[in-house]
Amino acid sequence: MARKTERRNQQTEESRRKILEAAAEIAAERGYEGTSIALITKRSGFPASSLYWHFGSKDELVAEVIEHSYREWLPRVPRWQPPEGGAVDRQERQEQLRSILRRAGQGIVERPEFMRLGLMLMLERRAVEPAARARFLAIRREMLEVMSDWWVAVLPPEVRSARPGLAVQLARLNMAAADGLYAAAGTEVHPADIDGIQELLVLALDGAVAAVAEAERGE
Amino acid sequence: MARKTERRNQQTEESRRKILEAAAEIAAERGYEGTSIALITKRSGFPASSLYWHFGSKDELVAEVIEHSYREWLPRVPRWQPPEGGAVDRQERQEQLRSILRRAGQGIVERPEFMRLGLMLMLERRAVEPAARARFLAIRREMLEVMSDWWVAVLPPEVRSARPGLAVQLARLNMAAADGLYAAAGTEVHPADIDGIQELLVLALDGAVAAVAEAERGE
DNA sequence: ATTATCTATAGATCTATAGATAATGC
DNA sequence: ATTATCTATAGATCTATAGATAATGC
């Protein structure tokens, strides 16, 4: 019957998951090279041979850590749902952005592993790139696209047509500021200060749109 | 005579420097744990015992790498020299910021090691922190202070007195955006696109100031 | 018979040091 | 005598695998 198969599959899945959770914790603390098999066996309780049975190699295991921690993070990520019916006024744009950024911040606090490991991998410049790094970059490309689409939808129509590349630039700047803020959070930036800086980021991005709009009107 | 002493000191300094340069390259490519003694001996030409004679331990060596690469980077860092005679008008503020950020970007491109290794260390969360990490954070605190002072000097007086914490927040946001942009540069962001995003950052920060000023006037 | 885990270990690489040797300074 | 470098190696830790054992499914 399917029940026993399911139970076995469930146990297998559970072992995999435990190994990945332990590895994700360690990788977010110590980076790719610092994530040793010995540390994972200690924290997960499984012997090295089980890790190799499930994942084949350390490189593949860390790539799966990225994939797994991304899936854990995903439900906490804001949707970047463009507003119904296209363009919106300035205040509405600000409020949408504010609520999206707040949610993004919460998500990263609740599941920090994906971004922490991912940013460390992104900064690396090894001759042979870990599989996890390529995977992270691919996911980030998708994220940027979603953010760009939101900015396209929310930009005043005349600005959007006058400056076709602006939405991507805004998305990039938005992402860069969020990354940098996250990297500094918990060490350089006290958690209580995050909100104020995030609010300033909303005003800043909106102010940039206003400045570009004004410049276009002035030409 | 002092000449021979000098020559010896010079050779010693030269060995130290060669070791630090090799180590800085590797550390910026692979992070703290990836910077193995064996790799440094290969790239520098000196045996492991020479590294230990000069630096005592790997932890101390990497801390000196941070210190050394910072000193190499320092002359390329913009001064954040506040304008003579205090406050300036909006256009002048924008132009100063633009020129400072451009210079900061160039400096990071010419000597990327300090920021690359530093950000990787900053993201780590080891139980026992490497000495290099503490050193990087101390340097960054100084940098933030310098940036804050600039923002204090450049803010409209009525905004500065109405919102005493604003300058630090602007400095933090400025730093976060620069960090994030740097982390993405070369992989996610094409070098040719940096300028446009940086220009947008200038408009954004200035726009945030304008928005706060307007809000204060409106109260 | 297949799947998953265990113990045990191979062989490479890691940090660090001992002790010999060479170069410099007094 | 002091300073700096060399060769050689100790002992810990690294990734990975062989082969035995246990659990599950047919």
Side-chain angles (χ1 to χ4, degrees), chain A residues 12 15 47 49 53-54:
Chain A
T12 301
S15 306
S49 53
W53 189 89
H54 282 286

Side-chain angles (χ1 to χ4, degrees), chain B residues 135-165:
Chain B
R135 194 69 198 93
F136 178 75
L137 294 179
I139 292 170
R140 291 267 290 189
R141 270 191 295 274
E142 289 170 30
M143 286 172 44
L144 183 82
E145 224 164 287
V146 169
M147 292 168 75
S148 296
D149 290 347
W150 185 87
W151 277 103
V152 166
V154 112
L155 238 36
E158 66 279 12
V159 176
R160 177 174 40 205
S161 53
R163 292 273 303 263

Side-chain angles (χ1 to χ4, degrees), chain B residues 20 27 46 53 68 76 85 113 128 137-138 207:
Chain B
L20 286 171
F46 289 92
W53 190 90
H68 174 78
R76 294 172 174 81
E113 292 84 6
V128 302
L137 294 179

